[in-house]
Amino acid sequence: MKILVINCGSSSLKYQLIDMTDESVLAKGLCERIGIEGSKLTHQPAGKDKFVVEKAMPDHKVAIGLVLEALQDPEHGVVKSTDEIAAVGHRVLHAGTKYCESIVVNDDVKKVIRECFDLGPLHNPANLMGIEACEAVMPGKANVAVWDTAFGMSMPEKAYLYAIPHEYYEKYSIRRYGFHGTSHMFVSGEAIKFGELDSENAKVIVCHLGNGASISASIGGKCVDTSMGLTPLEGLIMGTRSGDVDPAVCQFICNKEGIDINEMLNILNKKSGVLGMSGGVSSDFRDIEKAKEEGNHLADVALQAFVYRVAKYIGAYTAAMNGVDAIAFTAGVGENDKNTRKSVCDYLGYLGVKIDDEANNVRGERRVISAADSKVKVMLIPTNEELAIARETLRLTK
């Protein structure tokens, strides 16, 4: 059974075709500059060279059509016809409070995606365009919405409600949702299997660390807390996002600088994080590390603050679960930066965490990196959101 996984942005479309008999990727690719001059498709069949198509893509429907042409191309394709594609799985950002699990798309699902445009203004409209494009090009083919917020929907009220007048939750569904949910779902589940932990009761903390960063706590694969909130701005320090900040800071800066709250939120989302803390060095952690090595004090402080915030959240979530069995690092920084993993774990001696430096000297490889006598298993688990979406699609359509 072959599943096509689609992740649509406003002007982009990422895809993978996965053979679910062995979960192998048959082909993957990216459509860029949809609706913009200079659009192109880069198609990568497994074991073959990349294939580039430079062709106008006025909308996502045309882009999907080109993807299907590439998948069926006599030389670069991997299927003879779309009949071999059983279903399409879509990453969809937000379902508000309406849907807590992945679901086969119907008219009500599309209605909910539209209703949540204001909660996910950058992603939900594009996600819906991707679904409707697939419906138009492959009529009758099942489409599945896999919500990025679904993992966080199992949080209890004490974790997801904000301490603001309750009427705002009732009127506008303002609550903590959490994001990177598909990644957290995948990695927490894989950590339980790889670490041979109790599938019902294992207490797992996942550190999804990259330009966007978040942490989740789960018991038996069910989320009990996660660091992002109503939007991805809450929580950890990130590449350009501030993470947790006193809301009064916003009012203070707005008054001093003569800007409005929309401009302030743009600053918190796009000009803050390690980019802002480092004095504008970069939002890329590799550049910050290089600047630190060259003696840049602010770059050094930014990295220290990032690690410190991660360690604080791990401590908080250990308390929330009354213990922790495993800590899993994933995403760009978590998978590839041994120094960050080591620095975070240096804070966790009180938990009996011990890192095996030799095992930790690795990039992007599934591995236990804690010492044999560590009281908590620490792992590196590469994330795979596309596979997680494909598995959910298979579960709902087989």
Side-chain angles (χ1 to χ4, degrees):
M1 189 171 182
K2 299 178 179 69
I3 302 290
L4 179 61
V5 176
I6 299 288
N7 183 353
C8 277
S10 58
S11 62
S12 66
L13 186 157
K14 291 194 293 185
Y15 66 92
Q16 286 192 10
L17 184 65
I18 301 176
D19 186 341
M20 297 309 290
T21 55
D22 58 3
E23 296 188 337
S24 61
V25 177
L26 300 176
K28 61 183 179 181
L30 171 66
C31 297
E32 300 174 88
R33 300 180 65 83
I34 298 171
I36 305 170
E37 189 176 344
S39 51
K40 70 174 182 177
L41 161 67
T42 304
H43 177 71
Q44 175 76 68
K48 295 183 180 178
D49 293 335
K50 288 181 179 177
F51 171 54
V52 178
V53 177
E54 295 185 359
K55 194 170 183 180
M57 299 181 209
D59 54 39
H60 287 73
K61 181 180 175 181
V62 173
I64 290 286
L66 289 175
V67 168
L68 295 178
E69 285 180 17
L71 290 171
Q72 298 171 87
D73 183 86
E75 186 177 349
H76 305 283
V78 292
V79 295
K80 291 183 178 178
S81 81
T82 57
D83 292 341
E84 295 181 45
I85 300 172
V88 186
H90 298 262
R91 178 189 182 271
V92 184
L93 182 75
H94 229 301
T97 59
K98 301 294 176 64
Y99 289 112
C100 300
E101 295 183 345
S102 306
I103 189 169
V104 177
V105 173
N106 56 29
D107 287 342
D108 186 67
V109 171
K110 290 189 284 185
K111 176 172 172 282
V112 168
I113 295 172
R114 285 191 191 92
E115 289 172 350
C116 293
F117 278 7
D118 57 346
L119 288 171
L122 297 179
H123 297 88
N124 267 40
N127 301 155
L128 182 60
M129 283 191 284
I131 289 171
E132 292 182 332
C134 287
E135 288 177 333
V137 176
M138 292 184 284
K141 204 74 77 174
N143 289 271
V144 172
V146 180
W147 314 101
D148 199 48
T149 52
F151 184 70
M153 294 305 289
S154 62
M155 285 190 287
E157 287 179 300
K158 64 183 179 183
Y160 73 68
L161 285 176
Y162 285 111
I164 59 176
H166 192 67
E167 64 183 281
Y168 297 128
Y169 173 70
E170 295 172 334
K171 289 164 67 175
Y172 309 120
S173 300
I174 293 176
R175 53 161 281 173
R176 299 181 64 249
Y177 289 97
F179 298 89
H180 297 144
T182 309
S183 175
H184 284 288
M185 175 182 70
F186 178 82
V187 175
S188 60
E190 293 298 299
I192 289 171
K193 288 190 285 188
F194 186 62
E196 298 180 336
L197 305 174
D198 181 347
S199 61
E200 298 293 321
N201 301 301
K203 299 172 179 177
V204 177
I205 293 174
V206 173
C207 303
H208 179 110
L209 307 181
N211 194 274
S214 59
I215 294 188
S216 69
S218 61
I219 299 176
K222 298 292 185 183
C223 179
V224 297
D225 209 341
T226 189
S227 58
M228 287 178 167
L230 175 71
T231 74
L233 185 56
E234 186 179 354
L236 300 177
I237 295 165
M238 307 177 216
T240 63
R241 295 186 188 121
S242 65
D244 296 335
V245 67
D246 180 349
V249 169
C250 301
Q251 181 192 41
F252 190 91
I253 294 175
C254 284
N255 290 340
K256 290 290 187 182
E257 296 287 324
I259 59 177
D260 64 16
I261 192 62
N262 295 309
E263 172 117 11
M264 187 66 238
L265 278 176
N266 187 60
I267 291 168
L268 293 178
N269 272 298
K270 298 181 178 179
K271 300 179 181 180
S272 299
V274 294
L275 172 65
M277 286 192 77
S278 66
V281 169
S282 178
S283 62
D284 190 306
F285 284 83
R286 293 166 295 189
D287 296 337
I288 301 289
E289 183 71 41
K290 184 171 182 288
K292 170 195 165 183
E293 291 170 358
E294 292 170 352
N296 186 311
H297 173 68
L298 289 179
D300 185 13
V301 172
L303 288 175
Q304 287 186 49
F306 174 75
V307 167
Y308 179 63
R309 187 76 61 88
V310 173
K312 283 209 307 184
Y313 264 95
I314 291 173
Y317 287 169
T318 300
M321 295 190 293
N322 193 20
V324 60
D325 298 308
I327 299 167
F329 289 93
T330 195
V333 174
E335 292 175 24
N336 296 303
D337 189 344
K338 65 179 181 180
N339 294 326
T340 294
R341 294 192 298 263
K342 172 70 170 172
S343 296
V344 169
C345 291
D346 283 347
Y347 277 97
L348 308 178
Y350 68 97
L351 294 175
V353 169
K354 294 182 182 178
I355 291 298
D356 181 326
D357 289 334
E358 185 176 342
N360 187 41
N361 187 21
V362 66
R363 293 168 58 92
E365 179 183 313
R366 183 177 296 207
R367 181 181 290 188
V368 174
I369 60 172
S370 50
D373 60 344
S374 178
K375 292 182 179 178
V376 179
K377 280 192 176 179
V378 182
M379 308 178 210
L380 190 166
I381 304 282
T383 192
N384 192 332
E385 294 182 60
E386 290 80 12
L387 179 56
I389 292 168
R391 286 176 176 175
E392 285 290 277
T393 304
L394 176 65
R395 178 177 68 83
L396 290 167
T397 60
K398 66 180 178 181

